[in-house]
Each structure stands twice: as C-alpha cells, then as structure tokens.
Amino acid sequence: MENKPLKPRVQLDRNAWVSAATEVLAEEGIAGLRVEVLAKRLKVTKGSFYWHFQDRRDLLLAVLQVWKDGRIRDIVKQTRAQPGRELEQIYHVIDIYSTSRSRRGAAIELAVRDWARRDADAAAIVAEVDDIRLRCARELFLACGVPMEEASSRCMLLYAYVFGISLMIYDKFDSDVARLKRDIADLIAQSASMTRTAAAASS
C-alpha cells in the first residue's frame, strides 16, 4: 500500500488574513467578520490566525489601517495637478468619484462607514480620510483663485454630491443623465472668483 504524499501546509501571511477580512467586511459587514468565518474561507485552522494577530480586535485595526492607506494614496493621486491645470483636475475628481466604480470598492467604503457609526477607532480613521479628502480638494479650488471660505464650501459640496449619487438610482429621473452630470459638475467647479482671478491675471 503506497503512502499518499501529504498536501503541503498552506502558509498564510498577515496580508492574506487582512485581505480576506476585507472581503468578508464588504459582503457581510462588521458583524459577520469573525475569525472562524475567515479560517473556513481560507481553509486553515483558527490556530494559524494567532500567529499573526493577538485577537480579533488586532485584525480589525489592521483592516482599518490598510483601508486608510489605500484611500489616502488614491485621494492624493486623483487630486494632484500640474500648475495651471487645477480646474481640469477638479472636473476629473468629480468625474472619477461620481462614476460607478468597482462594486467591491463601493461595498468596502459603505461597510467601513457603517462600522464607524458604532466604533470609535473606525470613526477616527474615517474622519482622518475624509479630512484629507476635503483638504486636497480645497487646495485645488484655492489654486484656482477661490477664496478660502468658498473653497471649503465647494469641496464639501463636491463630496456630498459624489457620495450621495453613489447611493441613488436615478436613471429614470432625467432622459439625459450625462447632461445632468455635466451641469452639476459645472455648478460645483465653476466660481465667479475664478473669472475675476483670470481677468486680473490677463490685465
């Protein structure tokens, strides 16, 4: 009788656990994110979890950190503009964040925000990401010559729009959704202050 070779033991690193936890978070919310669920999904024993994390809370904090780092990288990338092209970049930010993006990314964002409603650590992370979102967008408006108070209002309006539209089903509201979005983008991006600044610069 021949001995069957043993299957090699699956070696998972910390990132694999965090990635799997993020998937469960998106699908089931924070309540469904349990160690036994992850172990079953990854086809390993619960014991292997404790090689990488002290407890479930340690894993949750790692998930938050990875989400935060990813969001900040994307925010900085999307709001970086060459001098003189800041208005163009504002339109880009409105377009990229109001377009239906990855369903997975949207599900993760919603799950983290729901988690933040009842958890102080999650709320602090979301607040930090949102603060960076708003500050980066405001810098674009300021570079276009918009005064500080108005720039603050416009960047808040920008994100109120892109987050709000992601939660709505509006295809039947208007026969020309593309035109609707262009009009809204103009309302957010265009300021009388920009015209005055441009006129002053050319005179």
Side-chain angles (χ1 to χ4, degrees), residues 11 25 51 93 106 113 115 145 172 185 191 201:
Q11 297 293 325
L25 176 67
W51 282 100
V93 170
R113 289 186 174 278
W115 178 9
K172 295 181 179 179
S191 166

Side-chain angles (χ1 to χ4, degrees), residues 79 86 90 133-145 148 151 155:
T79 55
E86 290 85 2
I90 291 170
R133 274 190 172 112
L134 293 168
R135 289 178 183 277
C136 286
R138 184 169 63 187
E139 288 300 317
L140 290 174
F141 283 105
L142 290 172
C144 291
M148 173 64 80
C155 70

Side-chain angles (χ1 to χ4, degrees), residues 19-196:
S19 178
T22 302
E23 293 294 334
V24 172
L25 176 67
E27 294 168 13
E28 302 181 30
I30 191 62
L33 213 174
R34 303 189 304 276
V35 175
E36 55 269 25
V37 171
L38 290 176
K40 184 175 182 180
R41 177 176 289 222
L42 293 168
K43 297 181 173 58
V44 295
T45 63
K46 281 176 61 176
S48 63
F49 169 84
Y50 295 100
W51 282 100
H52 304 290
F53 303 94
Q54 295 179 2
D55 50 26
R56 178 176 179 268
R57 188 67 187 171
D58 189 24
L59 170 65
L60 296 184
L61 293 176
V63 169
L64 284 173
Q65 186 65 46
V66 169
W67 178 79
K68 183 186 84 168
D69 292 345
R71 297 317 305 136
I72 291 174
R73 277 195 304 271
D74 188 63
I75 291 163
V76 171
K77 175 184 175 183
Q78 300 300 346
T79 55
R80 185 183 293 119
Q82 296 178 5
R85 302 186 68 177
E86 290 85 2
L87 180 58
E88 179 183 332
Q89 201 67 25
I90 291 170
Y91 277 101
H92 169 77
V93 170
I94 296 169
D95 179 62
I96 198 71
Y97 286 131
S98 63
T99 302
S100 296
R101 302 183 85 191
S102 152
R103 286 187 179 182
R104 176 181 176 275
I108 294 170
E109 178 93 29
L110 288 173
V112 171
R113 289 186 174 278
D114 182 59
W115 178 9
R117 292 169 57 201
R118 53 184 66 86
D119 182 277
D121 289 324
I125 291 292
V126 170
E128 184 178 351
V129 169
D130 283 346
D131 185 64
I132 292 172
R133 274 190 172 112
L134 293 168
R135 289 178 183 277
C136 286
R138 184 169 63 187
E139 288 300 317
L140 290 174
F141 283 105
L142 290 172
C144 291
V146 178
M148 173 64 80
E149 289 187 359
E150 184 183 343
S152 296
S153 299
R154 286 185 179 278
C155 70
M156 182 73 79
L157 180 61
L158 188 161
Y159 279 108
Y161 165 62
V162 298
F163 278 116
I165 201 170
S166 71
L167 300 174
M168 298 175 70
I169 300 174
Y170 50 84
D171 293 345
K172 295 181 179 179
F173 173 68
D174 193 286
S175 60
D176 190 350
V177 172
R179 189 269 315 157
L180 192 68
K181 288 187 172 184
R182 287 195 303 272
D183 289 350
I184 293 171
D186 287 340
L187 288 170
I188 295 170
Q190 295 287 348
S191 166
S193 300
M194 296 176 182
T195 304
R196 289 195 295 270

